[in-house]
Amino acid sequence: MAQVLLPGPKPPASPSISNLVSTILKVTEDDIVPTLRESGKAGNMPFGAAILSKSNLQPVAVAANNFRKSPLLHGETNCIREFFEIDASKRPDTKDCIFIATHEPCSLCLSGIAWTSFPTVYYLFTYQETHDQLGVGKDIRILEEIFRVPAPSDTEESLRNRPLYNETNKLFTIKPIKQLISEITDEAGKKLAESEMERVKRLWEDLRHGV
Ligand SMILES: [Zn+2]
């Protein structure tokens, strides 16, 4: 009788970009947004974050901004705090996680992500969108006032045109979800992901009014 060979366990494959984008948007809508609604009832801003395990793309920690308790509890720093509340034996290594922020992280949160060694970060809204939508611009101001040191050759214009921080550096890589979507090679899949991203972004039209 012929022996039937059953397939053995496969090593986890890297998720496709399309799969990664749809997971990030789903976690944003299903896990982060309800947390923001709850936190908004206490008068907090709709900034949130989630940490996903890279192996199964499941959220390990989710949190909202809680600046009513402390001005340093941003969505990201609060999420890092929640992550480290998990028993060390039960949580993945930060190097095996993906960090998601609803808004481009400020300098405090970028440093928090660097201190805790999360290698990859994706965010939905840029600093400029955050400013235009929620009237919050302190993240840009802190980077410009504290960290933007002019070189002797800088003019006002060259200084203004210089990026506020290194998106790719030796500690982590950060990019907007919009840029991740632009890397999808299948045109139909790219269009679908773009419209899904815009739909999820529109959830903030209610969130910013505390609905
Ligand atoms: Zn922050």
Side-chain angles (χ1 to χ4, degrees), residues 107-158:
S107 51
L108 165 74
C109 296
L110 290 173
S111 295
I113 288 163
W115 274 107
T116 45
S117 305
F118 288 97
T120 315
V121 188
Y122 299 110
Y123 62 86
L124 196 54
F125 295 96
T126 62
Y127 287 147
Q128 195 57 51
E129 287 171 321
T130 307
H131 175 263
D132 296 346
Q133 186 184 67
L134 298 168
V136 175
K138 202 166 181 182
D139 33 24
I140 297 177
R141 191 156 171 248
I142 290 174
L143 284 164
E144 285 179 345
E145 291 293 323
I146 300 175
F147 297 99
R148 191 157 70 177
V149 182
S153 58
D154 265 324
T155 61
E156 256 183 50
E157 196 191 358
S158 69

Side-chain angles (χ1 to χ4, degrees), residues 58-173:
Q58 291 295 308
V60 181
V62 179
N65 166 288
N66 193 356
F67 87 101
R68 293 286 178 195
K69 185 174 179 187
S70 158
L72 300 186
L73 285 178
H74 293 193
E76 299 91 325
T77 50
N78 207 16
C79 195
I80 291 171
R81 185 194 57 74
E82 293 240 339
F83 179 85
F84 284 99
E85 294 281 326
I86 302 168
D87 190 273
S89 65
K90 295 193 176 119
R91 63 169 191 257
D93 193 291
T94 55
K95 288 193 166 47
D96 298 322
C97 293
I98 295 171
F99 203 103
I100 304 172
T102 58
H103 293 70
E104 188 169 11
C106 72
S107 51
L108 165 74
C109 296
L110 290 173
S111 295
I113 288 163
W115 274 107
T116 45
S117 305
F118 288 97
T120 315
V121 188
Y122 299 110
Y123 62 86
L124 196 54
F125 295 96
T126 62
Y127 287 147
Q128 195 57 51
E129 287 171 321
T130 307
H131 175 263
D132 296 346
Q133 186 184 67
L134 298 168
V136 175
K138 202 166 181 182
D139 33 24
I140 297 177
R141 191 156 171 248
I142 290 174
L143 284 164
E144 285 179 345
E145 291 293 323
I146 300 175
F147 297 99
R148 191 157 70 177
V149 182
S153 58
D154 265 324
T155 61
E156 256 183 50
E157 196 191 358
S158 69
L159 201 56
R160 206 169 36 243
N161 292 334
R162 192 193 299 171
L164 290 168
Y165 62 93
N166 293 316
E167 294 179 349
T168 301
N169 57 66
K170 287 181 179 162
L171 300 165
F172 58 73
T173 301

